[in-house]
Amino acid sequence: MHDPIPLSLLAPGQCAEVDQVTGHPDHVHRLEELGLRSGAAIEIVQRGSPCIIRLSGQKLCLRADELFNVLVRCVATN
Amino acid sequence: MLERPPLTVALIGNPNTGKSTLFTALAGVRQRVGNYPGVTVEKKVGSMRLGERRCELVDLPGTYSLAPRSPDEMVAVDVLLSRRGDVAGVDAVISIVDATNLERNLYLVGQVLEMGLPTIVALNMVDLARARGLTIDVERLREQLGVPVVELQANRGVGVNDLKRVLAESVDAPAARNRVSPFPEAFQRETEHVQTLWSRSDAKSENGREPLPRYLAERLLLDTSGYLQNTLTSQAADARAGEELLAARKRLAEAGCAVPAVEAQCRYRWVAEVLDGVVTRPSQRVEIVGDRVDRLLTHKVWGTLVFALLMLLVFSSVFIFADPLMGMIDEAIGALGGVAEAALPPGPVESLVVDGVIGGVGSVLIFLPQILFLFFFLAVLEDCGYMARAAYLMDKLMVRVGLSGKSFIPLLSSFACAIPGVMATRVIENRRDRLTTILVAPLMSCSARLPVYAILIGAFIPATTMLEFIPLQGLTLFSMYLLGMVTAAVVALVLKRTLLRGPTPPFVMELPNYKWPSPRMVLYRMGERGWAFVRRAGTLILAVSILVWAASSYPHNAAEVDERLEPRREALETQLAELDVSSPQREGVEEQLVEVENEIAAVYQRESILGHMGRAIEPVVRPLGWDWRIGCAVIASFPAREVVMGALGVIYNLGGDLDVGAASDQDRLGARMRAAEWDDTGEPVYNVPVALSIMVFFALCAQCAATLVIIRRETNSWRWPVFTFVYMTTLAYGAALVTYQVGMQFF
């Protein structure tokens, strides 16, 4: 396992796992309801803001802002 | 045998799971759409038969979670807990889930199951899951979930009958409900504590003994936003309940179940248990056609290009297809008017029916083809999953004015007509974003403004070029459209910083899987929106048109006409009667007769209430460079701006039935306007600054009663249409004033 990095640093196509989502508890709760939670497999499809992520079978469009932060851990690919 | 009382079944699910498609497949066209009082949520109720029994199907708004943080989100919870007086107690729930993403979908199912109602899980999009290489052990899912699961392909109607059968079985023999809570002991203890606390203080429970539902007690603990506490405390007498709640949360945090985080932890743990061994994924993600299409459509350059082309195609076809139909409606209305004119004796009744009722209703119906076509295309794009991609592409642009990408399509639609634009804002979940979009949508230059621009530009803007290559007329037209857009951007920014200021939740939007649109769904949505428009707008427009008709026809002051014009008319008529049918003089006399008749109409209008109003407001509109005639025409066009050309036609003795689309009529009106003079000084009324000030006024003013009625319907309050009217009229007046006064410095 690698050290956690911000989601924005993830390269497209690289597989990772959500380490933690930080921010206001209410906002984090909302994101968790959508499936963005610790342990979920995540992948960047389109970078930028808004970015597109693939999250266990679904695609989400996500605007990067100061309201929340997603830290991910790269999964070693072989 | 007496028929048993009708059942009530609620339909719930995540957005983009095919919930509306299933609803239409179950209830067909027997649906009633309305609003829940006090909120902006649509109330959709349909009916179907379950064997022998009648069944009411309630479509709840699509949601990812039953965690109410606003009155709109509270609706679904209240319906499921039978706490709403306007919906009968729910007997069963159909929870529709997307088979390609069971994990997230079951989160909501978990919440629904806690309500303790007989529940059926409708496993939709099984075909898509198969295409993705997922294998789902439905039998095992049924077992581990403990409720019936039915496989479904709602857009093709596959499995709908199975669903009905299972539904009938489960309401007849409700299984024993012994729900295991996903929450740890400590949390359950606190839930019971809150439940007794709130039930004791609940004033209603004194005699009714209706304790707070367990689910709401849970939510009270979990909802740290304070919304639910405020809502429920209004009926609670115990002032200490609030403190107790804080204490309970503190105890939970100490016990290692901090709210609200504990909910996601526990529910996803439950989901993992339920899904254990149910879904088998391929070792490598299966790339389907949709993925490749999506890469192109969300590409920053190619995707944007495709989007631009698509919008161009949609809007040009709206105009191309709607145009002949609009012409037909126009002709039919004219023919109907002719029939009524022939059937009724000349006089006030004839005038009321022809000009007031038929003319008024016609001015609404004429927009129907545009609305239907626009909604056809929008429904197709939405149903196939493209809309979210468009919102993604446009988000960067819209975020600069404080909105999100979801506001783009409604605003773009408003260039055709603000009514479908306002209706299309339903896709925006954020209430403040939605309101802002609704309030600025009427600023987009709609198709009814185009004739006004066309005539004034044709008559007063020279057909020359600026800097050798920019045609001045085209530039003026473009500026009018630009003016609307820039004003909308500024107003949106101001609104989001003042009246509609508030915390912006993180912007997260699902990009649903692509699928073939369901024709039934598309047609249904088209019909529904069209009918809503005709019904709501039609009634008010009718009333207002009659008012305007009355104001421009009364008092029927005949003194001047009788004295000066009537003898001339009679003389001409006699002359015409005496002339031989083939006489070459005939044409000239006929022309004179029309001229006199038009002048009579003009005199009547000048002496009518509207004419008096026009003269009364002349001091107000004089700073804009307008005389009372323009004032009159502007007043008359407040219900519907396209009326202005007809009104000007009457005022300038051309008769009211000008065809504003016809170039020849535009030229005739333009010529009359160029010749118009001030009553007192004899100087020409119109010059370039006056023409510009009128155009600017029309570009910004809220002259469309139908739009205001639709805003009322969508916002569920008269406050917002009134606000729209006031701010737009004020802006229009100010901008026209500046245009004229600044313009006069240069001309």
Side-chain angles (χ1 to χ4, degrees):
Chain A
M1 267 306 205
H2 300 259
D3 285 333
I5 53 165
L7 176 66
S8 54
L9 291 182
L10 201 63
Q14 200 174 3
C15 291
E17 198 183 283
V18 178
D19 182 66
Q20 60 171 332
V21 184
T22 55
H24 189 282
D26 276 346
H27 293 156
V28 174
H29 195 195
R30 275 265 140 125
L31 294 166
E32 285 171 337
E33 289 170 355
L34 277 155
L36 191 64
R37 62 191 174 93
S38 313
I42 189 171
E43 189 192 319
I44 287 264
V45 182
Q46 297 271 359
R47 292 175 83 161
S49 175
C51 65
I52 298 180
I53 56 168
R54 193 194 312 279
L55 196 68
S56 54
Q58 63 173 335
K59 274 185 196 162
L60 289 182
C61 158
L62 197 61
R63 196 193 292 153
D65 48 30
E66 62 281 11
L67 292 171
F68 66 98
N69 238 312
V70 182
L71 291 176
V72 299
R73 281 172 191 276
C74 293
V75 177
T77 42
N78 28 359
Chain B
M1 194 183 96
L2 265 170
E3 195 172 13
R4 288 184 286 175
L7 292 164
T8 305
V9 174
L11 181 58
I12 192 164
N14 284 184
N16 307 310
T17 44
K19 190 169 61 65
S20 305
T21 314
L22 177 63
F23 182 77
T24 310
L26 285 171
V29 290
R30 286 158 296 177
Q31 325 187 350
R32 300 185 304 280
V33 183
N35 272 86
Y36 292 101
V39 292
T40 57
V41 176
E42 209 174 48
K43 178 183 182 182
K44 255 170 93 178
V45 181
S47 61
M48 60 175 186
R49 294 210 74 90
L50 269 187
E52 292 296 300
R53 297 183 78 171
R54 210 160 57 76
C55 181
E56 296 270 277
L57 191 63
V58 184
D59 188 16
L60 295 173
T63 180
Y64 295 106
S65 165
L66 282 172
R69 296 167 182 97
S70 70
D72 283 8
E73 292 174 317
M74 192 65 192
V75 169
V77 176
D78 278 344
V79 168
L80 288 175
L81 292 173
S82 304
R83 282 164 51 90
R84 287 197 72 97
D86 50 358
V87 177
V90 172
D91 298 294
V93 185
I94 300 174
S95 181
I96 183 166
V97 298
D98 175 357
T100 63
N101 190 357
L102 278 176
E103 219 169 48
R104 191 200 66 208
N105 279 261
L106 285 181
Y107 184 96
L108 178 67
V109 172
Q111 291 176 329
V112 172
L113 288 179
E114 275 196 63
M115 307 257 180
L117 290 160
T119 304
I120 294 155
V121 171
L123 190 63
N124 198 20
M125 307 194 193
V126 281
D127 46 339
L128 216 73
R130 224 167 282 139
R132 289 233 173 249
L134 301 178
T135 339
I136 298 168
D137 186 343
V138 179
E139 196 46 54
R140 190 170 177 140
L141 178 63
R142 197 173 292 145
E143 228 166 78
Q144 287 173 181
L145 207 50
V147 297
V149 178
V150 180
E151 286 180 80
L152 208 64
Q153 288 177 52
N155 55 339
R156 292 190 195 160
V158 178
V160 173
N161 284 331
D162 285 346
L163 181 66
K164 276 188 172 180
R165 187 176 45 74
V166 173
L167 183 63
E169 280 166 15
S170 62
V171 289
D172 279 336
R177 244 92 304 259
N178 200 3
R179 209 52 73 203
V180 184
S181 167
F183 291 104
E185 276 273 333
F187 189 87
Q188 295 192 44
R189 257 204 316 277
E190 295 295 349
T191 305
E192 274 150 33
H193 179 55
V194 168
Q195 203 177 4
T196 47
L197 209 66
W198 245 259
S199 301
R200 197 175 51 212
S201 56
D202 188 350
K204 270 195 297 186
S205 65
E206 283 304 319
N207 28 27
R209 290 317 311 166
E210 212 176 293
L212 185 76
R214 189 188 170 89
Y215 187 76
L216 281 184
E218 257 174 31
R219 295 264 52 111
L220 264 174
L221 272 172
L222 291 167
D223 176 32
T224 49
S225 75
Y227 162 73
L228 203 60
Q229 198 183 336
N230 286 336
T231 313
L232 296 174
T233 304
S234 60
Q235 43 176 282
D238 198 337
R240 278 187 45 251
E243 290 165 33
E244 285 283 336
L245 194 64
L246 285 179
R249 284 193 193 132
K250 210 169 154 228
R251 284 195 295 275
L252 279 175
E254 280 157 9
C257 342
V259 293
V262 66
E263 183 179 24
Q265 279 166 24
C266 296
R267 290 208 192 282
Y268 280 116
R269 194 183 305 134
W270 173 82
V271 169
E273 282 164 20
V274 166
L275 286 181
D276 179 44
V278 168
V279 185
T280 322
R281 290 172 196 285
S283 54
Q284 278 250 294
R285 208 171 52 78
V286 176
E287 174 115 320
I288 59 170
V289 185
D291 294 331
R292 280 193 289 272
V293 173
D294 206 30
R295 256 204 303 277
L296 173 77
L297 293 183
T298 56
H299 190 274
K300 285 205 180 78
V301 179
W302 301 120
T304 313
L305 196 68
V306 170
F307 175 66
L309 286 174
L310 203 59
M311 287 300 117
L312 193 68
L313 190 77
V314 166
F315 283 92
S316 43
S317 36
V318 163
F319 283 104
I320 291 166
F321 293 137
D323 236 27
L325 283 172
M326 287 169 86
M328 273 158 64
I329 291 177
D330 202 23
E331 267 173 41
I333 303 275
L336 194 64
V339 171
E341 215 165 354
L344 294 165
V349 176
E350 179 220 325
S351 176
L352 170 66
V353 171
V354 175
D355 302 329
V357 177
I358 299 180
V361 172
S363 72
V364 176
L365 286 184
I366 199 96
F367 291 113
L368 195 56
Q370 275 192 358
I371 289 176
L372 290 180
F373 278 113
L374 198 58
F375 271 113
F376 170 77
F377 288 117
L378 294 187
V380 169
L381 292 180
E382 202 177 321
D383 212 36
C384 73
Y386 182 73
M387 239 22 157
R389 274 74 182 182
Y392 157 74
L393 288 169
M394 288 300 121
D395 190 65
K396 247 193 163 63
L397 187 73
M398 300 308 291
V399 81
R400 294 194 190 161
V401 297
L403 294 172
S404 82
K406 292 187 179 179
S407 299
F408 188 80
I409 296 280
L411 290 179
L412 192 66
S413 307
S414 303
F415 280 108
C417 179
I419 294 158
V422 169
M423 287 176 166
T425 59
R426 286 181 200 167
V427 293
I428 308 167
E429 297 102 16
N430 186 296
R431 194 183 139 269
R432 278 183 294 267
D433 278 12
R434 183 167 178 225
L435 259 177
T436 309
T437 312
I438 289 177
L439 298 184
V440 302
L443 282 171
M444 301 290 143
S445 275
C446 66
S447 56
R449 284 172 173 109
L450 191 57
V452 183
Y453 298 155
I455 292 173
L456 290 165
I457 288 175
F460 299 103
I461 306 296
T464 51
T465 53
M466 206 172 87
L467 305 172
E468 303 288 310
F469 67 94
I470 308 167
L472 213 52
Q473 293 188 331
L475 182 70
T476 313
L477 185 63
F478 177 70
S479 312
M480 289 303 136
Y481 278 86
L482 197 66
L483 176 70
M485 287 190 266
V486 172
T487 312
V490 173
V491 172
L493 263 182
V494 171
L495 281 174
K496 289 284 289 195
R497 301 233 163 126
T498 55
L499 222 51
L500 297 172
R501 187 180 43 208
T504 319
F507 177 72
V508 187
M509 178 178 64
E510 190 187 352
L511 300 179
N513 293 315
Y514 289 110
K515 67 178 177 67
W516 290 111
S518 134
R520 205 166 168 178
M521 194 64 216
V522 169
L523 288 178
Y524 178 74
R525 193 165 298 163
M526 194 171 109
E528 178 204 30
R529 301 278 159 102
W531 175 238
F533 164 69
V534 170
R535 202 174 38 143
R536 305 275 174 147
T539 42
L540 185 98
I541 278 278
L542 180 60
V544 176
S545 332
I546 291 174
L547 266 182
V548 170
W549 165 83
S552 57
S553 322
Y554 288 95
H556 207 64
N557 193 343
E560 194 191 339
V561 174
D562 284 348
E563 190 183 308
R564 191 166 62 85
L565 297 165
E566 200 58 30
R568 265 176 66 198
R569 191 172 77 95
E570 275 165 26
L572 285 165
E573 271 184 347
T574 341
Q575 205 183 339
L576 199 63
E578 282 164 6
L579 278 173
D580 193 70
V581 189
S582 56
S583 165
Q585 279 174 290
R586 232 185 134 79
E587 205 174 309
V589 176
E590 269 173 356
E591 255 173 40
Q592 281 183 45
L593 188 61
V594 170
E595 187 77 4
V596 171
E597 274 171 354
N598 286 340
E599 208 178 324
I600 291 174
V603 168
Y604 278 139
Q605 186 166 35
R606 194 172 65 221
E607 294 303 320
S608 68
I609 299 176
L610 191 66
H612 284 284
M613 279 162 82
R615 270 175 293 180
I617 64 155
E618 194 173 291
V620 181
V621 297
R622 207 151 181 156
L624 311 183
W626 305 356
D627 68 348
W628 70 267
R629 291 187 182 85
I630 305 176
C632 248
V634 168
I635 294 175
S637 57
F638 267 97
R641 52 176 68 84
E642 56 277 16
V643 169
V644 72
M645 301 334 282
L648 283 171
V650 172
I651 292 168
Y652 292 118
N653 301 355
L654 284 172
D657 47 357
L658 275 182
D659 181 0
V660 290
S664 59
D665 279 1
Q666 287 187 4
D667 288 347
R668 274 167 61 215
L669 186 57
R672 286 297 167 102
M673 292 196 321
R674 273 194 297 267
E677 293 173 345
W678 282 97
D679 286 345
D680 43 0
T681 60
E683 279 179 35
V685 173
Y686 291 90
N687 51 26
V688 174
V690 171
L692 286 176
S693 109
I694 298 175
M695 280 192 274
V696 166
F697 189 86
F698 271 82
L700 301 181
C701 195
Q703 293 165 308
C704 183
T707 302
L708 296 175
V709 176
I710 295 296
I711 294 180
R712 152 80 183 86
R713 176 187 136 92
E714 295 295 318
T715 59
N716 225 347
S717 135
W718 276 111
R719 205 165 104 213
W720 297 113
V722 167
F723 174 79
T724 309
F725 180 79
V726 171
Y727 101 78
M728 284 182 70
T729 309
T730 313
L731 259 184
Y733 184 86
L737 180 71
V738 170
T739 307
Y740 177 72
Q741 296 298 344
V742 172
M744 284 312 276
Q745 306 300 314
F746 293 96
F747 288 90

